[in-house]
Amino acid sequence: MLALICGSAIACNPSTTLEDEVQSIISEYPDATVAVAVRDASTQTTLDILSDRSFHAASTMKVPVMIEVWKRIQTGRLDLDSTLEIQNSFRSIVDGSQYSIEEDTDDAIYERLGEYMTISELVYQMITVSSNLATNLLIDFLGAESIQVTVDSLNAPGMRVLRGVEDLKAFDLGLSNSTTARALATLMELISQGRAVDETSDSRMVDVLLDQEFNEMIPAGLTEGTRVAHKTGQITRIHHDAAIIYPPDAPPYVLVVLIEGLDDENGSAALGASITRKVHAALRSGV
């Protein structure tokens, strides 16, 4: 569903044009299930395509983990300079049995096993290089239940944080973290507006999101000079990106693309970039 109120900053097309054009792009990938959510407060534009359909969250669930950290800092229950010991041993939510992280995009953290890292360092690694080990350490410390309470308080119930990464016993039983495009769009919009925690905390979260190192989807569909504060998520046949997009000399907007069903990660990245290109042209033509 698309709601569009045209302002002077964008070209005004019939209200269904953007949705139709995005759907046309999606139709070129018949094996893919795709959800899209757009939130543009400056023009009161919203776009929702399968935005309430639940997907495996992959690493997008690291956004609410970060929000919970900053909520505790803001309320004085945690300090960014507090430290956690780096260890690779976790307990399954199914039966309490131990497991360890076997696959990760962050090699450097494993060189520090037995040492201590600050909360600030762990959050940065969790977001920018999607460190699974940093994520599990933070979830163990914060508690998945507390993270979920915070998510629910932000009116994003489509995001479900049950556990840490690589709990294979839970995965086999269908106990996985999940999200909807609507939930991620809600969280990213709140961060962009300084309403997830507070203006100072949310600004710090944006700074971390801007340093994201995996830029093959939403950033790839944008014009040069456009800053993107975003979090990706990728596992087998799952490829997501949730972004706050900052065009030069224009207000920011939120775009979420969730993709399931494609084996080729280059293909899913290209699909997400094509959707981004179409949305950006509609919302910020000439920017």
Side-chain angles (χ1 to χ4, degrees), residues 45 68 72 75 89 139 159 207 243-244 250-251 265 267 270 273 276 284:
T45 301
E68 176 66 13
R72 294 197 186 190
T75 56
S89 179
I139 291 176
M159 171 67 75
D207 288 342
I244 308 165
E265 63 186 51
T276 300
R284 301 290 185 269

Side-chain angles (χ1 to χ4, degrees), residues 90-99 140 144-145 162-177:
F90 306 97
R91 293 195 176 276
S92 172
I93 63 170
V94 174
D95 58 7
S97 59
Q98 288 189 330
Y99 71 94
D140 263 14
E145 299 85 357
L162 299 178
R163 58 172 175 83
V165 183
E166 290 195 33
D167 183 346
L168 298 183
K169 287 187 176 180
F171 178 83
D172 289 342
L173 292 176
L175 300 174
S176 294
N177 303 314

Side-chain angles (χ1 to χ4, degrees), residues 215-223 269 272-278 280-281:
N215 296 305
E216 68 279 359
M217 188 181 286
I218 287 178
L222 295 167
T223 53
S274 294
I275 291 169
T276 300
R277 197 171 295 112
K278 183 62 65 177
H280 192 71

Side-chain angles (χ1 to χ4, degrees), residues 260-283:
E260 175 185 291
L262 295 182
D263 292 313
D264 179 11
E265 63 186 51
N266 293 323
S268 55
L271 170 55
S274 294
I275 291 169
T276 300
R277 197 171 295 112
K278 183 62 65 177
V279 169
H280 192 71
L283 298 182

